[in-house]
Amino acid sequence: MNKLHFIINDISAIISPNVDLPSLIASQKSQNLNMLDFAQLQSYKADFSLSHLSPLERRRLSNASKCVFSLLQPKINEWNLGSIPIVFSSTLGEINRCFSMLLSLQDSYLLSPTSFSMSVLNATPALLAIAHKNNAEISAISANPSLEHAMINAYMRLQEITYKEATNKESADKNAEHTNKVLVLSYYEGLAREYLAYKAQTSNATTSNKQNPQKNAPDFLLLAALVSLPNQPHKTDSETDKKAFYATLEINKPHTKAPSPNDLEIILSELDLLAATNTISKKDAQKSISYSIDNDSFKWHIELQNA
């Protein structure tokens, strides 16, 4: 049994308007459901907000990149996006872009170099780093479940920073005071409905009768969290740290289940964490929350309390 102790300094998310949250909430598997405020999750539903980017920049962005630039634009200074290490995790990545490229190859079309370059998993955090001239370390991982593995990766990165600082092995940096935090990004993109229909069509038709699917907006969710370790120094007077929560993640069983392209239950961990932080943020809320998540891959016991 392993326990990871860290601080969630701030957390935010963007969820596509077409995600059926009521059904997800009804099917989620957390214990002590009455303690968590799931109704507030509707406030995270939003369309992309990219007016701060040029039309050329907007056109080349993937869905994941649009989520990142929409969600983090208001956080540029508060989260110090110019120097913070980034962990980007996704179970399926740019799955719809990959399907689109495969269909192009099937029809003997040339692949767009831009589309291909944006299909790789590290494209989104790389674009974020380039936009803000961030030279810090970037990790891009494909994992199921996404959030849990992203947190583990961030925890190891923070432990590495602590060790290097303690042994004076890390070189001096003008932004060193900000390296005690890591930006965790967990992205989900569902397989667009037209690709599911296309799959059914191909099983009942000859190649000559097949029609390529029409584009449609897929489900998406991006959770962004600013995390650090409890034993690292913090600026307690900052607006970000006033929102902080102490958290303990306890891993009780190993990974056992492969992801399904449109199984929205793979984002239940993200929804649970958002609901928990919303619940504890209320003025009349209790000072701590303890709950469990069992998503058939990991079983987490999470304790949150105001930092």
Side-chain angles (χ1 to χ4, degrees), residues 233-267:
H234 297 87
K235 296 180 180 180
T236 56
D237 58 339
S238 70
E239 288 301 315
T240 297
D241 290 318
K242 290 178 182 177
K243 309 171 188 175
F245 308 96
Y246 287 116
T248 300
L249 281 73
E250 183 177 304
I251 309 170
N252 289 322
K253 73 177 183 180
H255 172 240
T256 58
K257 182 182 179 182
S260 172
N262 262 45
D263 183 4
L264 286 172
E265 290 194 356
I266 67 176
I267 60 173

Side-chain angles (χ1 to χ4, degrees), residues 40-291:
Q40 293 297 317
L41 295 181
Q42 294 288 349
S43 65
Y44 291 110
K45 284 191 172 184
D47 290 314
F48 299 131
S49 177
L50 302 169
S51 58
H52 57 286
L53 300 176
S54 68
L56 180 61
E57 290 174 314
R58 291 198 295 267
R59 279 197 298 271
R60 81 182 296 260
L61 292 182
S62 63
N63 282 327
S65 300
K66 289 177 181 178
C67 285
V68 167
F69 281 93
S70 297
L71 182 63
L72 297 184
Q73 175 61 20
K75 306 284 189 180
I76 292 176
N77 296 321
E78 186 180 358
W79 286 16
N80 197 55
L81 299 181
S83 64
I84 192 169
I86 301 171
V87 176
F88 179 82
S89 178
S90 180
T91 302
L92 302 171
E94 292 281 342
I95 186 171
N96 292 287
R97 187 180 290 267
C98 292
F99 267 91
S100 177
M101 291 191 296
L102 288 172
L103 289 173
S104 295
L105 289 174
Q106 172 187 282
D107 295 334
S108 301
Y109 296 140
L110 293 176
L111 293 182
S112 161
T114 298
S115 183
F116 179 78
S117 66
M118 291 302 301
S119 69
V120 297
L121 198 63
N122 66 344
T124 295
L127 283 176
L128 179 64
I130 292 171
H132 299 290
K133 298 180 173 59
N134 186 347
N135 294 319
E137 180 179 331
I138 294 175
S139 298
I141 56 176
S142 177
N144 176 47
S146 173
L147 176 62
E148 286 85 338
H149 284 94
M151 290 294 190
I152 292 172
N153 191 293
Y155 182 85
M156 291 189 296
R157 171 62 180 151
L158 289 165
Q159 291 284 8
E160 180 185 11
I161 292 172
T162 302
Y163 172 77
K164 287 181 177 179
E165 289 179 345
T167 55
N168 296 317
K169 290 183 179 180
E170 189 159 26
S171 60
D173 188 291
K174 64 180 180 180
N175 293 318
E177 67 272 15
H178 299 295
T179 59
N180 62 353
K181 295 175 184 175
V182 171
L183 174 61
V184 170
L185 301 171
S186 179
Y187 176 70
Y188 164 80
E189 179 178 309
L191 185 60
R193 295 172 182 84
E194 67 269 18
Y195 289 125
L196 293 175
Y198 180 76
K199 180 180 178 181
Q201 175 191 355
T202 56
S203 63
N204 297 304
T206 62
T207 302
S208 60
N209 293 330
K210 290 185 293 187
Q211 296 181 355
N212 284 349
Q214 299 297 312
K215 292 184 178 180
N216 190 22
D219 295 334
F220 62 78
L221 175 146
L222 174 73
L223 179 144
L226 199 63
V227 302
S228 58
L229 296 181
N231 59 342
Q232 291 179 324
H234 297 87
K235 296 180 180 180
T236 56
D237 58 339
S238 70
E239 288 301 315
T240 297
D241 290 318
K242 290 178 182 177
K243 309 171 188 175
F245 308 96
Y246 287 116
T248 300
L249 281 73
E250 183 177 304
I251 309 170
N252 289 322
K253 73 177 183 180
H255 172 240
T256 58
K257 182 182 179 182
S260 172
N262 262 45
D263 183 4
L264 286 172
E265 290 194 356
I266 67 176
I267 60 173
L268 287 178
S269 297
E270 285 85 345
L271 298 179
D272 279 326
L273 186 57
L274 288 170
T277 52
N278 267 290
T279 302
I280 199 173
S281 295
K282 289 185 173 181
K283 292 181 180 180
D284 57 346
Q286 60 193 91
K287 294 184 180 298
S288 63
I289 288 180
S290 177
Y291 69 101

